[in-house]
Amino acid sequence: MDMFWNIYSKRLLSSIRNKDQLIWIWAFPLIMATLFYFCLSSVSQSDNLESVPVGVVTDTAYEEDQMFNQVLEQVGSGEDAILKVTEYAQRDKADSALEKGDIDGYILIRENIPQLVVKQDGINQTILKSFLDRYVQTEGNIRSIMEKNPDYALDFEGIMGGDTLTEEISLSSQPYSPVVNFYYALIAMICMYGGMQGLTSITYLQGNLSALGARRMMAPLGRIRVIFYDLLASATVHIMSLLFLLFYITVILRVDFGDRLPLLVLTCLAGTILGVAFGTAISCLTKLGENMKVGILVSITMFCCFGAGMMVSGMKYIVDQHMPIISWLNPAARISDAFYCLYYFDDYQRYCQNIAVILAMAAGMFLLSAFSLRRQNYESI
C-alpha cells in the first residue's frame, strides 16, 4: 500500500504541475466551451420568431377595406402575433419610419389591392411578402364567406398562417436543441485528450526515452504494477478535469444536458479510460519521440472529432448514413453519441451499446500496449 500511494501521489502531483497538460485538458476546454456558448446561443434562439414590425397607411382606401382591417387586427394581436402593426396617417411618415428602421416595411391600399413597400431584402420582408400574397390568393373566398355569413367569425390568423392537418410531436421527453451536439463533441475531444496522460505515463516508464524512465525501470518493482498505479493516477487527474468541464457547462453556462447526471459522469469515466488507453497505445506502438507522438495523438483526435460533428453540424449523421462501420469505430463519435442517447432517448439500449464499444476499444488498446511493453528489453540502461 505504501508503494502504491507513493507512485500514485507522485504521478498526481506530476500531472497537476505539467504546464502543457494544464493548458490542453484544463484551460483549453473552458475556452472552447465559452466560445461555443457565445457563438451558438443565437442559434438556439433562432427558432423563436418575433413579430414582424410593419406599418400601414390608414388613408381613405384603407378605411374602406373593412376585411383587410379585420385581417390585420387579428394577426397583429396577442402574444404570438405574426405582425406588429403600426398605423401611419400619411405615407411620408411611414417612409420616415422605414428609413429609420423602425419598421421592416409598410402596406398601403391601391385599387383595392394591398401593396408592400420595403427598403431592403431580408427574412422579415419575405414574411411580409408571403403574408400579402396569401391574402390576395384567399381574398375572394373570404369575401364570399363573409357575404353569405356576415356573422360568422373567421379565424384570419389560422387562414393566413397556413394551418395544416398534421401535428408535430416529439419522440423524446427532452426538447430539441441544435447546439448540445457541439458540446458533446467537445467533451469527447477532451476525453480523447486523456491520451496525453497515458502517453506521458508510458514515456516515464521507457528507459530509452527519458532519464526518469531509466531509473524507474531499475526499481525493484514489477513493471505491470508500476504501469497500473501510474495510469490510475493519470485517469484520476483527467476525470477531475472532465468533471470540472461538465460543471462549468451545466452550472456556469447553464447548458441543459438533461436530468441523468450520474450516467453523464459514468460516460465521462468511460471516455477517460478510452482516452488514456489511446495514449498508451500510441506511445507503446511507435518508436518516435515524445513530441511526434503528441502530434499524432492530436491529429487523430481532431480527425475523429470532425467525424463526431464538432466542426460541421450534421457531419456525424452523414458518416452514420454512408459509412456506419467507420462511425462505430470512431471513439469520439461513440462518446458523443452516448451523451446524445442520454439526452434524447428514454431507453438505454443504444447507450449501453455505445458504452460497450467504448470499453471494448479501451480493452483492446490496453492489451496491445501490454503486449508491446512485454517485448521491450534494454541491453543497458
Side-chain angles (χ1 to χ4, degrees), residues 23 34 83 106-107 113 134 160 164 172 184 201 209 212 235 238 264 269 271 290 310 358 366:
I23 293 174
T34 305
L83 306 179
Y106 67 86
I107 303 170
I113 298 176
R134 188 171 185 85
M160 304 310 297
T164 66
S172 171
Y184 293 158
S201 294
L209 294 181
L212 177 60
H238 197 69
L264 289 175
L269 178 59
E290 183 178 3
M310 180 176 172
I358 290 171
F366 277 132

Side-chain angles (χ1 to χ4, degrees), residues 136-202:
V136 172
Q137 293 172 3
T138 58
E139 179 186 10
N141 294 331
I142 295 175
R143 288 187 183 278
S144 177
I145 294 174
M146 292 185 67
E147 289 175 358
K148 295 180 180 179
N149 303 279
D151 297 329
Y152 183 74
L154 283 175
D155 182 11
F156 293 110
E157 187 173 2
I159 295 173
M160 304 310 297
D163 289 347
T164 66
L165 298 178
T166 60
E167 180 182 359
E168 183 178 353
I169 62 174
S170 176
L171 297 178
S172 171
S173 58
Q174 296 293 339
Y176 169 74
S177 173
V179 302
V180 292
N181 284 340
F182 290 97
Y183 290 102
Y184 293 158
L186 172 63
I187 297 176
M189 182 184 71
I190 305 306
C191 288
M192 296 297 293
Y193 276 172
M196 295 184 182
Q197 296 281 359
L199 190 151
T200 302
S201 294
I202 299 301

Side-chain angles (χ1 to χ4, degrees), residues 223-243:
R223 182 183 297 185
I224 298 299
R225 292 173 62 187
V226 175
I227 294 174
F228 176 75
Y229 299 161
D230 216 76
L231 293 179
L232 183 60
S234 299
T236 301
V237 173
H238 197 69
I239 191 63
M240 289 170 56
S241 70
L242 275 171
L243 292 179

